[in-house]
Amino acid sequence: MADLLKKYGYAPDKEKIAGDIERIAANIESIKSEEVLKSCFSMMDLTSLRTNDTAESIARLVMKVNAFAEEYPSYPLPASVCVYPNFAAVVKDTRKTADLHATVVAACFPSSQSFLEVKVKECEMAVENGADEVDIVLALNSFLAGEYQQASDEIKAVRAAVDSVAASQGRKVMLKVILETGLLPSLEDIASASFLAMEAGADFIKTSTGKVEVNATPVAAYVMCECIAKYHEATGRKVGFKPAGGISSALDAVSYYSIVSAVLGKDWLNKDLFRLGVSRLANKIISEIEQKTVNYF
């Protein structure tokens, strides 16, 4: 994968990255305003990925989002509700506005360990059932074995299938590719996986599933954002960034917001290009803004 790094003229500079992250961290409290926190709230994929999720529990979550505008009229809605693919229709049918996207994790999430035909079919069925966004996991079984073309071809196959079903419905569906950065051996591997996923058609690259020991980290986020910048410089295409896993405090959210701002600029600070994958963060942000404990979600 050294060829990809050479192609885009990128090599992660560990010392520079560490210094930049340290400076960002030192400035977090001054950035953590109500405006920034509400912006982070608007870019959340409000997530429920529990083994005991049911259609009823997912519907209740969506109904809470529906009622949120009345309870907190000065707040934006989150960007989406993220669920397993069999609940795509529940989100679609329960939401009051199509601005609240139905996001699914698919293609045999979280391990991506199955036959490609199964992965593709699951993504097709999710889109048929109303998914607006599909999050899949990079095939690490191929990538870590050095079978980079196979890993790329899997993303391309899912991309083609998702686009075909979406086109038949007269719409477009977003594809996010999870790199599972905590399982990648080096920063160079994170960079290579980033470029591979973008070249294969990812609309977003995402750090983690939240299902492994090491999930989103500022260092992985910084490298991925630098790769997005290099890819945009070379192609003109803007790819989004989504940190996920372990983001559980308002300061965490502001930290990733600040990394995106520093590396990619303000053009990326919107829900079309930046998301936060969260299961616990929503209440923390509301509590921080309201300056009291709030357990709405």
Side-chain angles (χ1 to χ4, degrees):
M1 293 306 287
D3 289 347
L4 273 179
L5 301 190
K6 184 178 180 181
K7 177 179 179 179
Y8 291 99
Y10 179 71
D13 184 333
K14 295 177 184 178
E15 289 188 10
K16 177 183 180 299
I17 291 168
D20 287 350
I21 289 173
E22 188 175 332
R23 283 187 286 276
I24 288 169
N27 200 36
I28 288 294
E29 286 292 346
S30 66
I31 296 170
K32 190 189 68 176
S33 65
E34 179 176 327
E35 180 184 1
V36 167
L37 289 170
K38 286 183 176 179
S39 182
C40 289
F41 192 90
S42 75
M43 296 182 284
M44 289 190 312
D45 289 339
L46 191 63
T47 302
S48 185
L49 298 174
R50 296 189 298 263
T51 303
N52 61 342
D53 283 338
T54 64
E56 183 180 359
S57 69
I58 298 301
R60 281 199 303 269
L61 175 61
V62 178
M63 286 188 282
K64 282 189 174 183
V65 179
N66 290 341
F68 186 74
E70 294 180 13
E71 294 271 350
Y72 293 90
S74 69
Y75 284 67
L77 286 179
S80 82
V81 173
C82 180
V83 295
Y84 284 115
N86 48 309
F87 297 123
V90 177
V91 178
K92 175 178 175 287
D93 295 341
T94 308
R95 66 188 177 186
K96 284 187 175 179
T97 172
D99 288 341
L100 179 70
H101 281 189
T103 296
V104 301
V105 293
C108 301
F109 174 97
S111 66
S112 192
Q113 295 282 17
S114 191
F115 303 101
L116 178 58
E117 294 85 352
V118 175
K119 299 179 190 181
V120 168
K121 187 62 177 176
E122 187 178 49
C123 294
E124 288 176 340
M125 292 177 71
V127 176
E128 287 167 358
N129 279 271
D132 301 298
E133 306 179 11
V134 176
D135 291 18
I136 67 170
V137 183
L138 172 69
L140 291 182
N141 53 356
S142 298
F143 186 86
L144 294 176
E147 296 169 353
Y148 305 122
Q149 190 60 53
Q150 185 171 326
S152 175
D153 287 346
E154 285 210 9
I155 297 171
K156 290 176 181 177
V158 171
R159 171 89 269 178
V162 164
D163 286 349
S164 177
V165 176
S168 73
Q169 299 173 338
R171 61 195 187 97
K172 292 185 177 180
V173 168
M174 183 184 293
L175 180 65
K176 307 193 199 85
V177 176
I178 305 163
L179 307 184
E180 202 67 287
T181 53
L183 297 182
L184 296 177
S186 69
L187 298 188
E188 287 77 14
D189 285 305
I190 292 172
S192 295
S194 298
F195 288 125
L196 182 151
M198 290 187 286
E199 285 198 343
D203 295 309
F204 266 73
I205 52 175
K206 176 179 171 181
T207 59
S208 322
T209 61
K211 303 295 187 182
V212 298
E213 188 174 342
V214 177
N215 290 291
T217 66
V219 172
Y222 202 100
V223 170
M224 291 169 69
C225 287
E226 287 194 318
C227 291
I228 289 170
K230 285 288 187 182
Y231 182 79
H232 176 248
E233 182 183 315
T235 68
R237 186 167 80 92
K238 290 182 177 178
V239 174
F241 171 65
K242 178 179 174 179
I247 303 172
S248 58
S249 72
L251 280 180
D252 288 339
V254 176
S255 174
Y256 289 110
Y257 176 99
S258 299
I259 289 170
V260 171
S261 179
V263 180
L264 292 168
K266 296 189 182 300
D267 283 355
W268 261 262
L269 295 176
N270 60 76
K271 67 180 182 179
D272 293 330
L273 290 169
F274 179 42
R275 295 291 179 84
L276 293 158
V278 301
S279 56
R280 295 171 290 171
L281 181 64
N283 289 332
K284 297 290 181 66
I285 289 181
I286 301 169
S287 297
E288 186 71 30
I289 294 170
E290 299 296 321
Q291 289 296 292
K292 64 181 181 182
T293 301
V294 176
N295 290 309
Y296 182 86
F297 290 105

